[in-house]
Amino acid sequence: MSSDLRFTSAQAVTREAGKLIRRRFEDKSSFKLSFKGHQDYLTEVDGEVEELVVSRLRALFPEDTFIGEEGRREESASVWVIDPIDGTANFARGIAHFCISLAYLRKGKPLIGVIYDPMRDEMFCALDGGGASMNGEAIKVSGLRDIRSATLEIGWNNRSGMAAFVELVEKLTVDSGAGMIRSASGALGMAYVAAGRIDAYVENHINAWDVLAGIVLVREAGGYVSDFLAGDGLNKGNPVLACTPKLRNALVKASGIGTLKR
Ligand code: LIP
């Protein structure tokens, strides 16, 4: 079945899921909060949303399989990769900066990326070869050339630890003069690179469900993305560098992530 039908379906399903996420966010009594590990929040809503997305897509595309943050690991030649709530810590603490992230891979290549922010009603989407858009308007990376004027988002997670995060921040900002943010949603960080709102997203380690949709968005918006799927990125995660192309070499040299443009 065509990617086009999957592309339109992915947008419809993430928008429906976004309504559920927003309802739960606005009613704190509607869910319990727990931890998967140190600083790794989990809410009942994550599982509820993943179930909704899987049931809708399985009904439409019964031959497809699913990899999801909440436990599914069904790798195949036609697989959806889901983060039901990216920015779970923000969601749990009442900070309205999170999204649902949905990617589709065929024979190992990410073809579709959809990231929906239900609080701002912003639908970022991209189809392989079809460009990237936000709410139907074409988007492109920033085109910035001067790293001293750049805004970088540097992701933090408990998988790599704080010392590695601080080292990466130092490498990327102390000599370059770039500014940095950390928003606790890697998927929205990737979407903002694609939309030109920031100039790069870098993280020492990120999981496939956090980043694959954003990789399609940044690629289709004219950006550079490191080879996240190298090794066994789909199952084990990897570092990621995504940026506007003129900053690629400076950021690869500073971070040690990605490859230089020859
Ligand atoms: C988030 C990731 C990001 C990381 C955040 C957080 P989650 O995922 O998108 O890479 O920097 O700390 O882990 O756990 O909110 O789905």
Side-chain angles (χ1 to χ4, degrees):
M1 207 174 285
S2 80
S3 295
D4 290 346
L5 183 57
R6 283 185 173 82
F7 187 46
T8 50
S9 302
Q11 294 168 66
V13 170
T14 51
R15 190 175 294 279
E16 180 187 0
K19 289 191 176 87
L20 170 60
I21 295 168
R22 181 163 185 151
R23 264 201 321 276
R24 293 284 182 262
F25 179 74
E26 290 171 344
D27 174 5
K28 290 287 171 288
S29 65
S30 67
F31 65 92
K32 291 193 184 67
L33 173 62
S34 58
F35 285 86
K36 291 186 273 189
H38 172 57
Q39 293 280 359
D40 196 0
Y41 285 83
L42 174 65
T43 73
E44 293 164 325
V45 189
D46 293 87
E48 185 182 12
V49 171
E50 189 166 308
E51 282 304 318
L52 170 68
V53 172
V54 171
S55 64
R56 293 286 188 272
L57 292 173
R58 202 187 291 284
L60 289 166
F61 312 109
E63 70 279 18
D64 290 358
T65 63
F66 300 87
I67 292 172
E69 179 169 28
E70 302 319 314
R72 284 179 177 79
R73 299 290 185 274
E74 308 160 359
E75 193 173 346
S76 76
S78 184
V79 61
W80 296 89
V81 183
I82 310 163
D83 188 347
I85 301 178
D86 186 75
T88 305
N90 291 338
F91 179 93
R93 305 299 297 265
I95 301 168
H97 187 77
F98 45 81
C99 63
I100 175 168
S101 181
L102 179 63
Y104 172 72
L105 288 71
R106 181 171 294 150
K107 296 179 181 163
K109 181 180 181 184
L111 299 183
I112 294 170
V114 173
I115 293 173
Y116 180 55
D117 174 345
M119 303 312 288
R120 296 179 184 85
D121 190 26
E122 291 189 330
M123 178 71 76
F124 299 88
C125 50
L127 171 62
D128 183 53
S133 66
M134 195 282 283
N135 290 354
E137 297 294 319
I139 55 175
K140 286 197 71 59
V141 294
S142 69
L144 189 79
R145 307 169 76 93
D146 174 8
I147 195 163
R148 288 186 60 76
S149 307
T151 298
L152 317 177
E153 177 157 2
I154 305 173
W156 175 83
N157 61 76
N158 62 338
R159 299 178 296 278
S160 319
M162 189 55 79
F165 172 73
V166 170
E167 184 186 351
L168 186 58
V169 170
E170 285 174 346
K171 284 178 181 175
L172 287 166
T173 60
V174 169
D175 295 334
S176 70
M180 72 144 293
I181 61 171
R182 189 256 167 174
S183 73
S185 169
L188 280 179
M190 294 291 286
Y192 287 11
V193 172
R197 295 178 181 174
I198 60 174
D199 306 296
Y201 186 87
V202 196
E203 190 158 354
N204 278 317
H205 180 276
I206 194 167
N207 288 309
W209 43 79
D210 296 321
V211 77
L212 281 176
I215 285 173
V216 185
L217 277 161
V218 173
R219 189 185 71 206
E220 289 299 319
Y224 164 74
V225 188
S226 56
D227 183 6
F228 171 79
L229 289 171
D232 189 12
L234 184 62
N235 293 296
K236 294 181 180 162
N238 257 326
V240 68
L241 165 61
C243 64
T244 189
K246 296 295 184 195
L247 299 184
R248 170 182 176 177
N249 282 357
L251 292 173
V252 168
K253 285 176 190 163
S255 68
I257 300 170
T259 57
L260 295 174
K261 180 176 173 54
R262 294 290 171 219

